[in-house]
Every structure is written in C-alpha cells, then in structure tokens.
PDB file of all heavy atoms in Angstrom:
ATOM      1  N   ASP A   5       0.817  -1.215   0.000  1.00  0.00           N
ATOM      2  CA  ASP A   5       0.000   0.000   0.000  1.00  0.00           C
ATOM      3  C   ASP A   5       0.853   1.268   0.000  1.00  0.00           C
ATOM      4  O   ASP A   5       0.717   2.125   0.877  1.00  0.00           O
ATOM      5  CB  ASP A   5      -0.956  -0.003   1.198  1.00  0.00           C
ATOM      6  CG  ASP A   5      -2.063   1.051   1.059  1.00  0.00           C
ATOM      7  OD1 ASP A   5      -2.190   1.653  -0.037  1.00  0.00           O
ATOM      8  OD2 ASP A   5      -2.782   1.283   2.043  1.00  0.00           O
ATOM      9  N   SER A   6       1.698   1.407  -1.015  1.00  0.00           N
ATOM     10  CA  SER A   6       2.487   2.633  -1.136  1.00  0.00           C
ATOM     11  C   SER A   6       1.592   3.854  -1.316  1.00  0.00           C
ATOM     12  O   SER A   6       1.879   4.929  -0.784  1.00  0.00           O
ATOM     13  CB  SER A   6       3.457   2.522  -2.308  1.00  0.00           C
ATOM     14  OG  SER A   6       4.445   1.543  -2.050  1.00  0.00           O
ATOM     15  N   ALA A   7       0.511   3.709  -2.071  1.00  0.00           N
ATOM     16  CA  ALA A   7      -0.408   4.837  -2.264  1.00  0.00           C
ATOM     17  C   ALA A   7      -0.980   5.294  -0.922  1.00  0.00           C
ATOM     18  O   ALA A   7      -1.113   6.498  -0.668  1.00  0.00           O
ATOM     19  CB  ALA A   7      -1.534   4.444  -3.220  1.00  0.00           C
ATOM     20  N   GLY A   8      -1.304   4.346  -0.049  1.00  0.00           N
ATOM     21  CA  GLY A   8      -1.819   4.702   1.269  1.00  0.00           C
ATOM     22  C   GLY A   8      -0.782   5.407   2.131  1.00  0.00           C
ATOM     23  O   GLY A   8      -1.112   6.332   2.880  1.00  0.00           O
ATOM     24  N   VAL A   9       0.474   4.979   2.028  1.00  0.00           N
ATOM     25  CA  VAL A   9       1.548   5.650   2.766  1.00  0.00           C
ATOM     26  C   VAL A   9       1.672   7.097   2.319  1.00  0.00           C
ATOM     27  O   VAL A   9       1.745   8.025   3.135  1.00  0.00           O
ATOM     28  CB  VAL A   9       2.890   4.910   2.569  1.00  0.00           C
ATOM     29  CG1 VAL A   9       4.044   5.741   3.122  1.00  0.00           C
ATOM     30  CG2 VAL A   9       2.851   3.546   3.248  1.00  0.00           C
ATOM     31  N   LEU A  10       1.695   7.326   0.994  1.00  0.00           N
ATOM     32  CA  LEU A  10       1.857   8.690   0.493  1.00  0.00           C
ATOM     33  C   LEU A  10       0.622   9.536   0.767  1.00  0.00           C
ATOM     34  O   LEU A  10       0.744  10.742   1.011  1.00  0.00           O
ATOM     35  CB  LEU A  10       2.181   8.663  -1.000  1.00  0.00           C
ATOM     36  CG  LEU A  10       3.516   8.003  -1.366  1.00  0.00           C
ATOM     37  CD1 LEU A  10       3.782   8.127  -2.856  1.00  0.00           C
ATOM     38  CD2 LEU A  10       4.673   8.576  -0.570  1.00  0.00           C
ATOM     39  N   ASP A  11      -0.558   8.931   0.750  1.00  0.00           N
ATOM     40  CA  ASP A  11      -1.772   9.652   1.160  1.00  0.00           C
ATOM     41  C   ASP A  11      -1.629  10.164   2.598  1.00  0.00           C
ATOM     42  O   ASP A  11      -1.924  11.316   2.898  1.00  0.00           O
ATOM     43  CB  ASP A  11      -2.983   8.709   1.095  1.00  0.00           C
ATOM     44  CG  ASP A  11      -3.869   8.990  -0.098  1.00  0.00           C
ATOM     45  OD1 ASP A  11      -3.734  10.055  -0.727  1.00  0.00           O
ATOM     46  OD2 ASP A  11      -4.701   8.126  -0.406  1.00  0.00           O
ATOM     47  N   TRP A  12      -1.182   9.279   3.466  1.00  0.00           N
ATOM     48  CA  TRP A  12      -1.079   9.601   4.889  1.00  0.00           C
ATOM     49  C   TRP A  12      -0.029  10.678   5.140  1.00  0.00           C
ATOM     50  O   TRP A  12      -0.256  11.624   5.893  1.00  0.00           O
ATOM     51  CB  TRP A  12      -0.744   8.330   5.654  1.00  0.00           C
ATOM     52  CG  TRP A  12      -0.607   8.467   7.135  1.00  0.00           C
ATOM     53  CD1 TRP A  12       0.550   8.484   7.858  1.00  0.00           C
ATOM     54  CD2 TRP A  12      -1.670   8.585   8.093  1.00  0.00           C
ATOM     55  NE1 TRP A  12       0.287   8.605   9.200  1.00  0.00           N
ATOM     56  CE2 TRP A  12      -1.060   8.667   9.376  1.00  0.00           C
ATOM     57  CE3 TRP A  12      -3.057   8.619   7.996  1.00  0.00           C
ATOM     58  CZ2 TRP A  12      -1.812   8.782  10.548  1.00  0.00           C
ATOM     59  CZ3 TRP A  12      -3.800   8.736   9.164  1.00  0.00           C
ATOM     60  CH2 TRP A  12      -3.180   8.821  10.418  1.00  0.00           C
ATOM     61  N   LEU A  13       1.120  10.555   4.485  1.00  0.00           N
ATOM     62  CA  LEU A  13       2.220  11.456   4.771  1.00  0.00           C
ATOM     63  C   LEU A  13       2.135  12.786   4.031  1.00  0.00           C
ATOM     64  O   LEU A  13       2.716  13.780   4.483  1.00  0.00           O
ATOM     65  CB  LEU A  13       3.555  10.771   4.449  1.00  0.00           C
ATOM     66  CG  LEU A  13       3.926   9.611   5.376  1.00  0.00           C
ATOM     67  CD1 LEU A  13       5.204   8.945   4.899  1.00  0.00           C
ATOM     68  CD2 LEU A  13       4.077  10.083   6.818  1.00  0.00           C
ATOM     69  N   SER A  14       1.450  12.815   2.891  1.00  0.00           N
ATOM     70  CA  SER A  14       1.340  14.076   2.158  1.00  0.00           C
ATOM     71  C   SER A  14       0.231  14.968   2.697  1.00  0.00           C
ATOM     72  O   SER A  14       0.098  16.122   2.291  1.00  0.00           O
ATOM     73  CB  SER A  14       1.127  13.816   0.666  1.00  0.00           C
ATOM     74  OG  SER A  14      -0.066  13.084   0.446  1.00  0.00           O
ATOM     75  N   ALA A  15      -0.569  14.444   3.634  1.00  0.00           N
ATOM     76  CA  ALA A  15      -1.599  15.253   4.295  1.00  0.00           C
ATOM     77  C   ALA A  15      -0.940  16.096   5.386  1.00  0.00           C
ATOM     78  O   ALA A  15       0.197  15.859   5.773  1.00  0.00           O
ATOM     79  CB  ALA A  15      -2.666  14.339   4.894  1.00  0.00           C
ATOM     80  N   PRO A  16      -1.652  17.104   5.906  1.00  0.00           N
ATOM     81  CA  PRO A  16      -1.091  17.903   7.004  1.00  0.00           C
ATOM     82  C   PRO A  16      -0.709  17.026   8.183  1.00  0.00           C
ATOM     83  O   PRO A  16      -1.373  16.017   8.466  1.00  0.00           O
ATOM     84  CB  PRO A  16      -2.240  18.853   7.372  1.00  0.00           C
ATOM     85  CG  PRO A  16      -3.059  18.945   6.133  1.00  0.00           C
ATOM     86  CD  PRO A  16      -2.970  17.601   5.476  1.00  0.00           C
ATOM     87  N   PRO A  17       0.365  17.332   8.907  1.00  0.00           N
ATOM     88  CA  PRO A  17       0.803  16.510  10.040  1.00  0.00           C
ATOM     89  C   PRO A  17      -0.294  16.323  11.071  1.00  0.00           C
ATOM     90  O   PRO A  17      -1.006  17.258  11.419  1.00  0.00           O
ATOM     91  CB  PRO A  17       1.980  17.302  10.619  1.00  0.00           C
ATOM     92  CG  PRO A  17       2.461  18.159   9.492  1.00  0.00           C
ATOM     93  CD  PRO A  17       1.241  18.485   8.672  1.00  0.00           C
ATOM     94  N   ALA A  18      -0.440  15.079  11.535  1.00  0.00           N
ATOM     95  CA  ALA A  18      -1.496  14.770  12.494  1.00  0.00           C
ATOM     96  C   ALA A  18      -0.989  14.754  13.930  1.00  0.00           C
ATOM     97  O   ALA A  18      -1.791  14.618  14.846  1.00  0.00           O
ATOM     98  CB  ALA A  18      -2.108  13.413  12.149  1.00  0.00           C
ATOM     99  N   LEU A  19       0.313  14.880  14.126  1.00  0.00           N
ATOM    100  CA  LEU A  19       0.885  14.789  15.464  1.00  0.00           C
ATOM    101  C   LEU A  19       1.392  16.152  15.927  1.00  0.00           C
ATOM    102  O   LEU A  19       1.836  16.961  15.105  1.00  0.00           O
ATOM    103  CB  LEU A  19       2.044  13.791  15.466  1.00  0.00           C
ATOM    104  CG  LEU A  19       1.655  12.323  15.283  1.00  0.00           C
ATOM    105  CD1 LEU A  19       2.896  11.480  15.025  1.00  0.00           C
ATOM    106  CD2 LEU A  19       0.918  11.808  16.504  1.00  0.00           C
ATOM    107  N   PRO A  20       1.386  16.401  17.237  1.00  0.00           N
ATOM    108  CA  PRO A  20       1.889  17.681  17.762  1.00  0.00           C
ATOM    109  C   PRO A  20       3.421  17.685  17.828  1.00  0.00           C
ATOM    110  O   PRO A  20       4.020  17.802  18.896  1.00  0.00           O
ATOM    111  CB  PRO A  20       1.260  17.748  19.149  1.00  0.00           C
ATOM    112  CG  PRO A  20       1.149  16.311  19.566  1.00  0.00           C
ATOM    113  CD  PRO A  20       0.834  15.550  18.309  1.00  0.00           C
ATOM    114  N   ALA A  21       4.045  17.520  16.681  1.00  0.00           N
ATOM    115  CA  ALA A  21       5.502  17.464  16.610  1.00  0.00           C
ATOM    116  C   ALA A  21       5.946  18.013  15.265  1.00  0.00           C
ATOM    117  O   ALA A  21       5.217  17.919  14.265  1.00  0.00           O
ATOM    118  CB  ALA A  21       5.998  16.022  16.768  1.00  0.00           C
ATOM    119  N   ARG A  22       7.116  18.580  15.219  1.00  0.00           N
ATOM    120  CA  ARG A  22       7.712  18.961  13.943  1.00  0.00           C
ATOM    121  C   ARG A  22       7.927  17.709  13.103  1.00  0.00           C
ATOM    122  O   ARG A  22       8.286  16.660  13.628  1.00  0.00           O
ATOM    123  CB  ARG A  22       9.051  19.655  14.208  1.00  0.00           C
ATOM    124  CG  ARG A  22       9.807  20.027  12.944  1.00  0.00           C
ATOM    125  CD  ARG A  22      11.070  20.794  13.239  1.00  0.00           C
ATOM    126  NE  ARG A  22      12.049  20.023  13.982  1.00  0.00           N
ATOM    127  CZ  ARG A  22      13.347  20.258  13.968  1.00  0.00           C
ATOM    128  NH1 ARG A  22      13.839  21.281  13.276  1.00  0.00           N
ATOM    129  NH2 ARG A  22      14.169  19.525  14.685  1.00  0.00           N
ATOM    130  N   ARG A  23       7.700  17.812  11.805  1.00  0.00           N
ATOM    131  CA  ARG A  23       7.891  16.685  10.893  1.00  0.00           C
ATOM    132  C   ARG A  23       9.082  16.938   9.982  1.00  0.00           C
ATOM    133  O   ARG A  23       9.198  18.004   9.372  1.00  0.00           O
ATOM    134  CB  ARG A  23       6.660  16.507  10.006  1.00  0.00           C
ATOM    135  CG  ARG A  23       5.635  15.505  10.482  1.00  0.00           C
ATOM    136  CD  ARG A  23       5.779  14.127   9.896  1.00  0.00           C
ATOM    137  NE  ARG A  23       5.796  14.093   8.459  1.00  0.00           N
ATOM    138  CZ  ARG A  23       4.697  14.040   7.693  1.00  0.00           C
ATOM    139  NH1 ARG A  23       3.502  14.066   8.225  1.00  0.00           N
ATOM    140  NH2 ARG A  23       4.817  13.977   6.379  1.00  0.00           N
ATOM    141  N   ILE A  24       9.958  15.947   9.858  1.00  0.00           N
ATOM    142  CA  ILE A  24      11.059  15.984   8.902  1.00  0.00           C
ATOM    143  C   ILE A  24      11.013  14.690   8.106  1.00  0.00           C
ATOM    144  O   ILE A  24      11.038  13.596   8.697  1.00  0.00           O
ATOM    145  CB  ILE A  24      12.422  16.144   9.602  1.00  0.00           C
ATOM    146  CG1 ILE A  24      12.490  17.493  10.315  1.00  0.00           C
ATOM    147  CG2 ILE A  24      13.573  15.993   8.600  1.00  0.00           C
ATOM    148  CD1 ILE A  24      13.723  17.671  11.170  1.00  0.00           C
ATOM    149  N   ASP A  25      10.932  14.798   6.788  1.00  0.00           N
ATOM    150  CA  ASP A  25      10.816  13.634   5.917  1.00  0.00           C
ATOM    151  C   ASP A  25      12.012  13.597   4.973  1.00  0.00           C
ATOM    152  O   ASP A  25      12.205  14.515   4.170  1.00  0.00           O
ATOM    153  CB  ASP A  25       9.515  13.692   5.110  1.00  0.00           C
ATOM    154  CG  ASP A  25       8.289  13.758   6.013  1.00  0.00           C
ATOM    155  OD1 ASP A  25       8.254  13.032   7.009  1.00  0.00           O
ATOM    156  OD2 ASP A  25       7.369  14.538   5.705  1.00  0.00           O
ATOM    157  N   LEU A  26      12.809  12.553   5.086  1.00  0.00           N
ATOM    158  CA  LEU A  26      13.968  12.374   4.223  1.00  0.00           C
ATOM    159  C   LEU A  26      13.635  11.409   3.092  1.00  0.00           C
ATOM    160  O   LEU A  26      12.757  10.553   3.226  1.00  0.00           O
ATOM    161  CB  LEU A  26      15.150  11.837   5.030  1.00  0.00           C
ATOM    162  CG  LEU A  26      15.569  12.661   6.246  1.00  0.00           C
ATOM    163  CD1 LEU A  26      16.770  12.009   6.938  1.00  0.00           C
ATOM    164  CD2 LEU A  26      15.889  14.101   5.851  1.00  0.00           C
ATOM    165  N   GLY A  27      14.343  11.548   1.984  1.00  0.00           N
ATOM    166  CA  GLY A  27      14.106  10.693   0.832  1.00  0.00           C
ATOM    167  C   GLY A  27      15.063   9.517   0.795  1.00  0.00           C
ATOM    168  O   GLY A  27      16.202   9.599   1.253  1.00  0.00           O
ATOM    169  N   GLY A  28      14.584   8.410   0.222  1.00  0.00           N
ATOM    170  CA  GLY A  28      15.404   7.226   0.046  1.00  0.00           C
ATOM    171  C   GLY A  28      15.624   6.910  -1.417  1.00  0.00           C
ATOM    172  O   GLY A  28      15.125   7.600  -2.313  1.00  0.00           O
ATOM    173  N   ASN A  29      16.347   5.846  -1.672  1.00  0.00           N
ATOM    174  CA  ASN A  29      16.628   5.461  -3.052  1.00  0.00           C
ATOM    175  C   ASN A  29      15.378   5.038  -3.806  1.00  0.00           C
ATOM    176  O   ASN A  29      15.293   5.216  -5.029  1.00  0.00           O
ATOM    177  CB  ASN A  29      17.676   4.342  -3.092  1.00  0.00           C
ATOM    178  CG  ASN A  29      17.263   3.104  -2.327  1.00  0.00           C
ATOM    179  OD1 ASN A  29      16.995   3.168  -1.118  1.00  0.00           O
ATOM    180  ND2 ASN A  29      17.211   1.968  -2.996  1.00  0.00           N
ATOM    181  N   HIS A  30      14.375   4.495  -3.120  1.00  0.00           N
ATOM    182  CA  HIS A  30      13.175   4.054  -3.836  1.00  0.00           C
ATOM    183  C   HIS A  30      12.353   5.235  -4.339  1.00  0.00           C
ATOM    184  O   HIS A  30      11.764   5.152  -5.429  1.00  0.00           O
ATOM    185  CB  HIS A  30      12.354   3.115  -2.957  1.00  0.00           C
ATOM    186  CG  HIS A  30      12.919   1.729  -2.922  1.00  0.00           C
ATOM    187  ND1 HIS A  30      12.460   0.712  -3.717  1.00  0.00           N
ATOM    188  CD2 HIS A  30      13.951   1.211  -2.207  1.00  0.00           C
ATOM    189  CE1 HIS A  30      13.164  -0.383  -3.490  1.00  0.00           C
ATOM    190  NE2 HIS A  30      14.079  -0.105  -2.570  1.00  0.00           N
ATOM    191  N   GLU A  31      12.301   6.320  -3.593  1.00  0.00           N
ATOM    192  CA  GLU A  31      11.616   7.504  -4.121  1.00  0.00           C
ATOM    193  C   GLU A  31      12.373   8.068  -5.327  1.00  0.00           C
ATOM    194  O   GLU A  31      11.761   8.448  -6.334  1.00  0.00           O
ATOM    195  CB  GLU A  31      11.488   8.589  -3.047  1.00  0.00           C
ATOM    196  CG  GLU A  31      10.490   8.253  -1.957  1.00  0.00           C
ATOM    197  CD  GLU A  31      11.003   7.222  -0.981  1.00  0.00           C
ATOM    198  OE1 GLU A  31      12.091   7.430  -0.395  1.00  0.00           O
ATOM    199  OE2 GLU A  31      10.319   6.185  -0.822  1.00  0.00           O
ATOM    200  N   ALA A  32      13.707   8.112  -5.235  1.00  0.00           N
ATOM    201  CA  ALA A  32      14.501   8.607  -6.358  1.00  0.00           C
ATOM    202  C   ALA A  32      14.304   7.739  -7.594  1.00  0.00           C
ATOM    203  O   ALA A  32      14.175   8.244  -8.716  1.00  0.00           O
ATOM    204  CB  ALA A  32      15.978   8.657  -5.966  1.00  0.00           C
ATOM    205  N   THR A  33      14.260   6.429  -7.399  1.00  0.00           N
ATOM    206  CA  THR A  33      14.090   5.515  -8.530  1.00  0.00           C
ATOM    207  C   THR A  33      12.698   5.655  -9.130  1.00  0.00           C
ATOM    208  O   THR A  33      12.533   5.645 -10.357  1.00  0.00           O
ATOM    209  CB  THR A  33      14.340   4.067  -8.066  1.00  0.00           C
ATOM    210  OG1 THR A  33      15.652   3.971  -7.512  1.00  0.00           O
ATOM    211  CG2 THR A  33      14.224   3.093  -9.225  1.00  0.00           C
ATOM    212  N   MET A  34      11.686   5.799  -8.290  1.00  0.00           N
ATOM    213  CA  MET A  34      10.315   5.973  -8.776  1.00  0.00           C
ATOM    214  C   MET A  34      10.175   7.263  -9.575  1.00  0.00           C
ATOM    215  O   MET A  34       9.605   7.269 -10.677  1.00  0.00           O
ATOM    216  CB  MET A  34       9.346   5.967  -7.599  1.00  0.00           C
ATOM    217  CG  MET A  34       7.892   6.202  -7.973  1.00  0.00           C
ATOM    218  SD  MET A  34       6.826   6.107  -6.501  1.00  0.00           S
ATOM    219  CE  MET A  34       5.250   6.648  -7.185  1.00  0.00           C
ATOM    220  N   LEU A  35      10.700   8.359  -9.051  1.00  0.00           N
ATOM    221  CA  LEU A  35      10.591   9.636  -9.756  1.00  0.00           C
ATOM    222  C   LEU A  35      11.323   9.595 -11.085  1.00  0.00           C
ATOM    223  O   LEU A  35      10.841  10.145 -12.091  1.00  0.00           O
ATOM    224  CB  LEU A  35      11.119  10.765  -8.881  1.00  0.00           C
ATOM    225  CG  LEU A  35      10.258  11.124  -7.669  1.00  0.00           C
ATOM    226  CD1 LEU A  35      10.998  12.108  -6.760  1.00  0.00           C
ATOM    227  CD2 LEU A  35       8.916  11.704  -8.093  1.00  0.00           C
ATOM    228  N   ALA A  36      12.474   8.944 -11.133  1.00  0.00           N
ATOM    229  CA  ALA A  36      13.191   8.811 -12.397  1.00  0.00           C
ATOM    230  C   ALA A  36      12.379   7.990 -13.392  1.00  0.00           C
ATOM    231  O   ALA A  36      12.289   8.333 -14.580  1.00  0.00           O
ATOM    232  CB  ALA A  36      14.562   8.178 -12.170  1.00  0.00           C
ATOM    233  N   ALA A  37      11.761   6.902 -12.926  1.00  0.00           N
ATOM    234  CA  ALA A  37      10.977   6.044 -13.818  1.00  0.00           C
ATOM    235  C   ALA A  37       9.786   6.788 -14.412  1.00  0.00           C
ATOM    236  O   ALA A  37       9.393   6.546 -15.561  1.00  0.00           O
ATOM    237  CB  ALA A  37      10.500   4.808 -13.066  1.00  0.00           C
ATOM    238  N   LEU A  38       9.205   7.692 -13.642  1.00  0.00           N
ATOM    239  CA  LEU A  38       8.033   8.421 -14.135  1.00  0.00           C
ATOM    240  C   LEU A  38       8.378   9.365 -15.280  1.00  0.00           C
ATOM    241  O   LEU A  38       7.475   9.837 -15.976  1.00  0.00           O
ATOM    242  CB  LEU A  38       7.388   9.198 -12.985  1.00  0.00           C
ATOM    243  CG  LEU A  38       6.686   8.326 -11.942  1.00  0.00           C
ATOM    244  CD1 LEU A  38       6.271   9.142 -10.733  1.00  0.00           C
ATOM    245  CD2 LEU A  38       5.480   7.626 -12.551  1.00  0.00           C
ATOM    246  N   GLU A  39       9.666   9.625 -15.502  1.00  0.00           N
ATOM    247  CA  GLU A  39      10.068  10.399 -16.677  1.00  0.00           C
ATOM    248  C   GLU A  39      10.034   9.555 -17.945  1.00  0.00           C
ATOM    249  O   GLU A  39      10.066  10.099 -19.054  1.00  0.00           O
ATOM    250  CB  GLU A  39      11.468  10.984 -16.471  1.00  0.00           C
ATOM    251  CG  GLU A  39      11.574  11.954 -15.299  1.00  0.00           C
ATOM    252  CD  GLU A  39      10.638  13.144 -15.460  1.00  0.00           C
ATOM    253  OE1 GLU A  39      10.581  13.700 -16.572  1.00  0.00           O
ATOM    254  OE2 GLU A  39       9.967  13.502 -14.467  1.00  0.00           O
ATOM    255  N   GLY A  40      10.001   8.233 -17.800  1.00  0.00           N
ATOM    256  CA  GLY A  40       9.734   7.354 -18.937  1.00  0.00           C
ATOM    257  C   GLY A  40      10.935   6.776 -19.649  1.00  0.00           C
ATOM    258  O   GLY A  40      10.756   6.017 -20.607  1.00  0.00           O
ATOM    259  N   ALA A  41      12.171   7.077 -19.236  1.00  0.00           N
ATOM    260  CA  ALA A  41      13.333   6.488 -19.900  1.00  0.00           C
ATOM    261  C   ALA A  41      13.324   4.978 -19.663  1.00  0.00           C
ATOM    262  O   ALA A  41      13.131   4.523 -18.529  1.00  0.00           O
ATOM    263  CB  ALA A  41      14.621   7.099 -19.364  1.00  0.00           C
ATOM    264  N   PRO A  42      13.514   4.162 -20.730  1.00  0.00           N
ATOM    265  CA  PRO A  42      13.376   2.703 -20.583  1.00  0.00           C
ATOM    266  C   PRO A  42      14.241   2.110 -19.469  1.00  0.00           C
ATOM    267  O   PRO A  42      13.785   1.235 -18.725  1.00  0.00           O
ATOM    268  CB  PRO A  42      13.788   2.178 -21.962  1.00  0.00           C
ATOM    269  CG  PRO A  42      13.464   3.300 -22.898  1.00  0.00           C
ATOM    270  CD  PRO A  42      13.754   4.559 -22.127  1.00  0.00           C
ATOM    271  N   GLY A  43      15.493   2.568 -19.346  1.00  0.00           N
ATOM    272  CA  GLY A  43      16.353   2.021 -18.299  1.00  0.00           C
ATOM    273  C   GLY A  43      15.834   2.322 -16.915  1.00  0.00           C
ATOM    274  O   GLY A  43      15.861   1.454 -16.023  1.00  0.00           O
TER     275      GLY A  43
END
C-alpha cells in the first residue's frame, strides 16, 4: 500500500511534533521512472 503511505504522509501533520521527511533510493528511482526512460 504505497499509495496509502503517500496519502497519509502528504496530508497535514497529524501529530503535535515537527515533521522531517527524508528521501530514500526508492523515491529517487520511482521519480526517475516516471520520466519514462526505458532504463
């Protein structure tokens, strides 16, 4: 349920705490793939 994770995290923060979200290699790979290059 990656779509559910991104739904949850892209909404306004639900906790009384500062939020910091770091990126990983899977987000980088997904964003690159969405540009459509075959590799």
Side-chain angles (χ1 to χ4, degrees):
D5 194 9
S6 293
V9 170
L10 296 184
D11 255 346
W12 180 256
L13 291 176
S14 61
L19 291 169
R22 177 176 64 156
R23 265 265 306 274
I24 296 173
D25 302 317
L26 304 181
N29 58 302
H30 281 263
E31 289 75 55
T33 302
M34 177 178 172
L35 290 171
L38 289 171
E39 298 301 315

